[in-house]
Amino acid sequence: MDNGVLDSLITENDTKILFLILDGLGGLAMEGHSGTELQVARTPNFDALASRSSCGLLTPIAPGITPGSGPGHFALFGFDPIKTNVGRGVQEAAGIGFPLEDKDVAARFNFATADKDGKIIDRRAGRISTEENQRICEKLRQNIKLDPEIKIFIETVREHRGVLVLRAERLSGEIKDTDPQQIGLFPLPPEPICPEAVKTAELLKQFITQAQDILADEEKANILLLRGFAKNTGFSSMEERFGLEAVAIALYPMYKGIAHLLGMDVIPDLADINEQIESLKDNFEEYDFFFFHVKHTDSRGEDGNFADKVKVIEEVDKLLPDILALHFDVVVVTGDHSTPAKMAGHSWHELPVLISADTCRIDPVAEFDEISCIQGALGHLYTKDLMTLTLAHAKRLKKFGA
Amino acid sequence: MDNGVLDSLITENDTKILFLILDGLGGLAMEGHSGTELQVARTPNFDALASRSSCGLLTPIAPGITPGSGPGHFALFGFDPIKTNVGRGVQEAAGIGFPLEDKDVAARFNFATADKDGKIIDRRAGRISTEENQRICEKLRQNIKLDPEIKIFIETVREHRGVLVLRAERLSGEIKDTDPQQIGLFPLPPEPICPEAVKTAELLKQFITQAQDILADEEKANILLLRGFAKNTGFSSMEERFGLEAVAIALYPMYKGIAHLLGMDVIPDLADINEQIESLKDNFEEYDFFFFHVKHTDSRGEDGNFADKVKVIEEVDKLLPDILALHFDVVVVTGDHSTPAKMAGHSWHELPVLISADTCRIDPVAEFDEISCIQGALGHLYTKDLMTLTLAHAKRLKKFGA
């Protein structure tokens, strides 16, 4: 839906919307199991909810396209994920709450291990501890010497992961990754993709050369691999776009970061899903839109662990009655992309989705899984259209045309 | 389908097409009823037709977007309804057969009642009679004194509704509604949306001020509320676009107006659905395309009257054999938008659709309703694509490419 048209249809209401997002929810049948993770999981509560919902299947980006977590979530929040693909660096910076300025260029980095020739032998530096990461970042900060006009920020994320931010006028994010994504190769130079990025690339070369010297005496973390160079192009908030006071109830930096970029409030310092549910209850009166993110469905899928992904789904199912007891006007359950244990990674497969609201058309779907949802009233939708449909059920959209 | 491409594929034929449009057809289950209006209605004839048709579900505009009658119908006639959103004023003017010129600006108006402070207390002036409306329009015509360069037309539609047309050079339809759509408020000024509309807005202010004085002594209709200011941007006819000699068999001005804008012949002075069917028979030889519009499904939905909407559907079902006895080559049955009695208004929900033709692929759908059609061969379509599909079944489209 064209944004200008949608803008003109937004209307205020005090209805409350829950997006319960199980990361990597969609799956595949796998040898030794009688169906997909969702089919195998015992989910009486999701099934009961599906029975009184409209169900369907979501394509996150386009048929056959496997989404990263960023595009998968941007689509959920009503963006065209192809046009608004935000750089990983910006996502990661937002994820640790780094206050990016418009002129900044951010990149995600990994500490990695190179052999004496400089070839990569471990892209994650043996997954060094977060404390070790912090020590090495401080060492870099103390010793890097660039043009004093350039401000540089080297920030720990967790384990081997960090964020680099350069702050200066006329920087560009149009820089190629230095991470070749494979061991046995040399790190790549930070090549400019367009003429405007030549200066930024030069600066990065100086930084990388100095960093390599500074890290030379480290046993594991002796090089840096950079990727996802990007500037923060700026996004309108959920409030500006949809008139929604939105809050993110998530455990992981990446998802908090995306929420922060979209102007949602982010509940800090939640330790586990039980604390997430308590936070949902505590904040129920304060917000219109609740982005409740469950990470472990994806993590167990990424591990290739079918049985444990099933367990995570069953755990969430047990907690569902507590969530529904809050009586949201619209409840949406889905994921950002599929992560079938069989593939041990993200995939392009469609995601089951349900919308529960007083205005939903009840279909015959009585089990919440990828196969049952084929019979659903929603049919096959693009994820980017889910938000508009949700706003309609929340009675937050006016009629188009007379 | 891109118009340029479609244009090149149109070919002549003498096949006959019926669009049987039940306004506001789609519904929702509602407490005390065992399904949607269509599920509850006894429709042996629609069901038999569905059994030998391809069925599916239509999205009129986009997921979650509730269409007005204008966009809903423009989509049926193969337009992208977002790009071709025609102003209400133009639709209404066309609906009463007013010969709009290209430079004209038209607006829909309501006579309304204001209290002594000027606040609106009844947006419909107690639904004054059409005769009363005619008397007051004449009084306005006699007494309004604008610049003689400006021609002004004040036309009765029915009850409290009318059409205002301004005719002069360099007018603009980019004017905000003066109807705040709520009682207890003052009418809004006719604000220009762009600089080109400043002159038109000034003119409208003069008109409104004079009209208020002229109407001051009226008991009920003491103010005018204006909305849907628009110029007629001009549409190619059904003949030009598709090579179809088209006729509209409709009872209500709005739908006749849309048909007129699209160059269809419009059968005048039909009193009820029986006269519509007689007219269909009488004109069968004269035309290729028949737009047969049934209004009361929408009206009863708008009233929130589930049982009466069911009755209207059952009445049309009883008349269906008479219609089908004419042996159209392609019969399409659907609506322009949903109007669930449960919501007492238009909604965004999909519409059931069937296409019956010698070339249709028969699917397992044996009942014509929103839930059964999920299993249909057509799947989920955008309404704007329905016309192309219809032309194909009517063998009026050539092959694309060699």
Side-chain angles (χ1 to χ4, degrees):
Chain A
M1 186 82 195
D2 174 75
N3 288 338
V5 176
L6 190 58
D7 283 353
S8 70
L9 302 181
I10 297 290
T11 184
E12 282 190 25
N13 205 328
D14 56 5
T15 46
K16 291 188 185 288
I17 299 168
L18 173 68
F19 262 37
L20 174 55
I21 304 305
L22 289 90
D23 204 293
L25 180 62
L28 283 175
M30 191 172 173
E31 223 185 309
H33 301 283
S34 61
T36 67
E37 294 90 326
L38 261 174
Q39 286 183 299
V40 169
R42 293 196 48 220
T43 54
N45 296 309
F46 279 127
D47 295 347
L49 183 59
S51 301
R52 51 182 197 273
S53 300
S54 290
C55 295
L57 289 160
L58 294 181
T59 295
I61 313 292
I65 305 301
T66 296
S69 302
H73 276 86
F74 271 80
L76 285 168
F77 301 127
F79 286 95
D80 181 327
I82 293 174
K83 290 189 189 152
T84 55
N85 192 8
V86 60
R88 182 70 182 237
V90 170
Q91 283 177 43
E92 290 278 348
I96 56 168
F98 185 92
L100 276 184
E101 298 186 2
D102 288 354
K103 59 187 170 188
D104 297 352
V105 166
R108 152 88 182 259
F109 69 77
N110 278 9
F111 285 116
T113 315
D115 66 14
K116 61 180 182 350
D117 300 330
K119 281 187 187 158
I120 302 162
I121 53 175
D122 183 342
R123 285 182 55 249
R124 297 181 182 85
R127 286 192 190 271
I128 54 167
S129 69
T130 304
E131 293 70 31
E132 187 69 346
N133 180 318
Q134 285 163 339
R135 177 186 63 76
I136 303 169
C137 282
E138 185 54 31
K139 181 171 158 185
L140 285 168
R141 278 181 216 120
Q142 295 298 334
N143 293 289
I144 293 280
K145 304 281 175 228
L146 296 179
D147 177 342
E149 299 276 291
I150 317 289
K151 279 201 181 137
I152 187 160
F153 303 88
I154 302 159
E155 306 294 330
T156 298
V157 174
R158 142 190 316 216
E159 296 175 342
H160 55 287
R161 301 199 301 269
V163 170
L164 173 73
V165 177
L166 298 182
R167 179 169 298 164
E169 300 304 325
R170 289 182 300 284
L171 293 179
S172 165
E174 298 291 308
I175 304 282
K176 286 194 188 167
D177 293 352
T178 76
D179 183 351
Q181 299 266 3
Q182 216 178 305
I183 59 169
L185 301 178
F186 293 103
L188 302 166
E191 278 185 56
I193 296 168
C194 64
E196 292 72 28
V198 170
K199 175 187 145 188
T200 311
E202 279 308 316
L203 206 59
L204 284 163
K205 273 179 206 157
Q206 290 173 35
F207 167 75
I208 290 167
T209 310
Q210 290 187 27
Q212 225 136 300
D213 290 344
I214 297 163
L215 298 177
D217 61 347
E218 292 291 334
E219 191 190 342
K220 293 177 177 167
N222 64 357
I223 56 167
L224 279 171
L225 299 174
L226 293 146
R227 59 189 162 111
F229 291 96
K231 293 182 91 158
N232 181 11
T233 46
F235 296 97
S236 306
S237 70
M238 297 286 278
E239 168 82 45
E240 288 163 328
R241 293 165 69 225
F242 306 128
L244 293 172
E245 296 271 358
V247 65
I249 300 178
L251 301 179
Y252 276 64
M254 168 92 181
Y255 311 96
K256 295 196 229 182
I258 292 169
H260 182 79
L261 285 177
L262 299 181
M264 296 188 210
D265 284 353
V266 176
I267 306 293
D269 305 325
L270 298 169
D272 59 28
I273 192 167
N274 293 310
E275 288 193 17
Q276 284 181 282
I277 290 177
E278 285 312 306
S279 171
L280 187 66
K281 291 178 188 170
D282 292 346
N283 287 285
F284 185 73
E285 294 304 328
E286 305 303 313
Y287 295 96
D288 307 311
F289 181 90
F290 301 82
F291 163 41
F292 191 108
H293 181 264
V294 176
K295 175 64 181 172
H296 289 145
T297 27
D298 179 58
S299 315
R300 298 300 83 78
E302 292 260 15
D303 296 342
N305 192 329
F306 190 101
D308 278 5
K309 186 172 168 195
V310 167
K311 266 189 217 157
V312 175
I313 293 168
E314 291 180 343
E315 279 162 24
V316 180
D317 185 77
K318 284 201 186 71
L319 297 169
L320 189 64
D322 274 4
I323 295 174
L324 298 183
L326 290 167
H327 296 296
F328 295 91
D329 296 282
V330 186
V331 172
V332 173
V333 182
T334 190
D336 54 342
H337 55 74
S338 292
T339 307
K342 182 176 179 171
M343 297 178 68
H346 291 198
S347 82
W348 62 89
H349 298 87
E350 285 178 304
L351 287 148
V353 60
L354 68 77
I355 299 183
S356 169
D358 191 43
T359 44
C360 70
R361 203 174 260 168
I362 310 295
D363 57 37
V365 178
E367 292 178 44
F368 186 59
D369 62 58
E370 300 85 345
I371 307 306
S372 302
C373 283
I374 297 172
Q375 310 291 333
L378 300 177
H380 301 257
L381 291 173
Y382 282 97
T383 301
K384 69 182 165 66
D385 291 327
L386 180 64
M387 182 58 80
T388 327
L389 203 49
T390 302
L391 292 169
H393 283 287
K395 303 192 175 71
R396 287 171 173 272
L397 288 182
K398 287 182 289 191
K399 187 159 69 173
F400 174 69
Chain B
M1 187 83 191
D2 174 75
N3 288 338
V5 176
L6 190 57
D7 283 353
S8 69
L9 303 181
I10 297 290
T11 183
E12 280 190 29
N13 205 327
D14 57 3
T15 47
K16 290 189 186 289
I17 300 167
L18 171 68
F19 263 35
L20 174 55
I21 304 304
L22 288 88
D23 205 293
L25 180 62
L28 282 177
M30 190 172 170
E31 223 184 308
H33 302 282
S34 60
T36 68
E37 294 89 327
L38 261 174
Q39 286 184 298
V40 169
R42 294 197 47 220
T43 53
N45 296 309
F46 279 127
D47 294 347
L49 183 59
S51 300
R52 51 183 197 273
S53 300
S54 291
C55 295
L57 289 160
L58 295 180
T59 294
I61 313 291
I65 304 301
T66 296
S69 301
H73 276 85
F74 271 80
L76 285 168
F77 300 127
F79 286 95
D80 180 327
I82 293 174
K83 290 187 188 152
T84 56
N85 193 8
V86 60
R88 181 72 181 238
V90 169
Q91 284 177 41
E92 290 276 350
I96 56 168
F98 184 93
L100 275 185
E101 298 186 3
D102 287 353
K103 59 186 170 188
D104 296 353
V105 166
R108 152 90 181 259
F109 68 78
N110 277 9
F111 286 115
T113 316
D115 66 15
K116 63 179 180 352
D117 300 330
K119 280 187 187 156
I120 302 162
I121 54 175
D122 184 341
R123 286 182 55 247
R124 297 181 181 84
R127 288 193 188 270
I128 52 168
S129 70
T130 303
E131 294 69 32
E132 187 69 348
N133 180 318
Q134 285 163 337
R135 177 186 63 77
I136 303 170
C137 283
E138 185 53 32
K139 182 171 158 186
L140 284 170
R141 278 181 216 117
Q142 296 298 333
N143 293 289
I144 293 281
K145 305 280 176 233
L146 296 179
D147 177 343
E149 300 275 292
I150 317 288
K151 279 200 182 142
I152 186 159
F153 304 87
I154 301 160
E155 305 294 329
T156 297
V157 174
R158 145 191 309 220
E159 296 177 340
H160 55 286
R161 300 199 301 269
V163 171
L164 172 73
V165 177
L166 297 183
R167 180 169 296 163
E169 300 303 325
R170 289 182 299 287
L171 293 180
S172 165
E174 299 290 309
I175 304 281
K176 287 193 187 166
D177 293 354
T178 75
D179 184 349
Q181 300 265 0
Q182 215 178 306
I183 58 169
L185 301 179
F186 294 103
L188 302 168
E191 278 184 55
I193 295 167
C194 63
E196 292 72 29
V198 170
K199 175 188 147 187
T200 312
E202 279 308 314
L203 207 59
L204 284 163
K205 273 179 205 156
Q206 290 172 34
F207 167 75
I208 290 168
T209 310
Q210 291 187 27
Q212 224 136 301
D213 290 343
I214 298 163
L215 299 176
D217 61 347
E218 292 290 333
E219 191 190 343
K220 290 178 179 167
N222 63 357
I223 56 168
L224 279 170
L225 299 174
L226 294 147
R227 59 191 161 111
F229 291 97
K231 292 181 92 158
N232 180 12
T233 46
F235 297 97
S236 306
S237 70
M238 297 286 280
E239 169 82 46
E240 289 163 327
R241 294 166 68 224
F242 307 128
L244 293 172
E245 296 273 358
V247 65
I249 300 178
L251 301 179
Y252 276 65
M254 168 94 182
Y255 312 96
K256 296 196 231 180
I258 292 170
H260 182 81
L261 286 176
L262 300 181
M264 297 189 208
D265 284 353
V266 176
I267 306 292
D269 304 327
L270 298 169
D272 58 29
I273 192 166
N274 293 309
E275 288 193 19
Q276 284 181 280
I277 290 177
E278 285 313 305
S279 171
L280 187 66
K281 291 178 188 170
D282 293 347
N283 288 284
F284 186 75
E285 293 306 327
E286 307 304 314
Y287 295 96
D288 307 311
F289 180 91
F290 301 82
F291 163 42
F292 190 108
H293 181 264
V294 176
K295 174 64 180 171
H296 289 147
T297 28
D298 178 58
S299 315
R300 297 299 83 77
E302 293 259 15
D303 296 342
N305 192 330
F306 191 102
D308 279 5
K309 187 173 167 194
V310 167
K311 265 189 216 156
V312 175
I313 294 168
E314 291 179 344
E315 280 162 23
V316 180
D317 185 78
K318 284 203 185 72
L319 298 168
L320 190 64
D322 274 5
I323 295 173
L324 298 183
L326 290 167
H327 295 296
F328 295 91
D329 296 281
V330 186
V331 172
V332 173
V333 182
T334 190
D336 55 341
H337 55 75
S338 292
T339 306
K342 182 176 180 172
M343 296 179 68
H346 293 197
S347 82
W348 62 91
H349 299 87
E350 286 177 304
L351 287 147
V353 60
L354 67 77
I355 300 184
S356 169
D358 193 42
T359 43
C360 73
R361 199 174 267 167
I362 310 296
D363 56 37
V365 178
E367 293 179 43
F368 187 58
D369 64 57
E370 300 86 346
I371 305 304
S372 301
C373 283
I374 295 173
Q375 311 289 335
L378 301 178
H380 301 255
L381 292 173
Y382 282 95
T383 301
K384 69 181 166 65
D385 293 327
L386 180 65
M387 182 58 81
T388 328
L389 203 49
T390 302
L391 293 168
H393 283 289
K395 301 193 176 68
R396 286 171 174 272
L397 287 184
K398 288 182 290 192
K399 186 160 66 177
F400 174 69

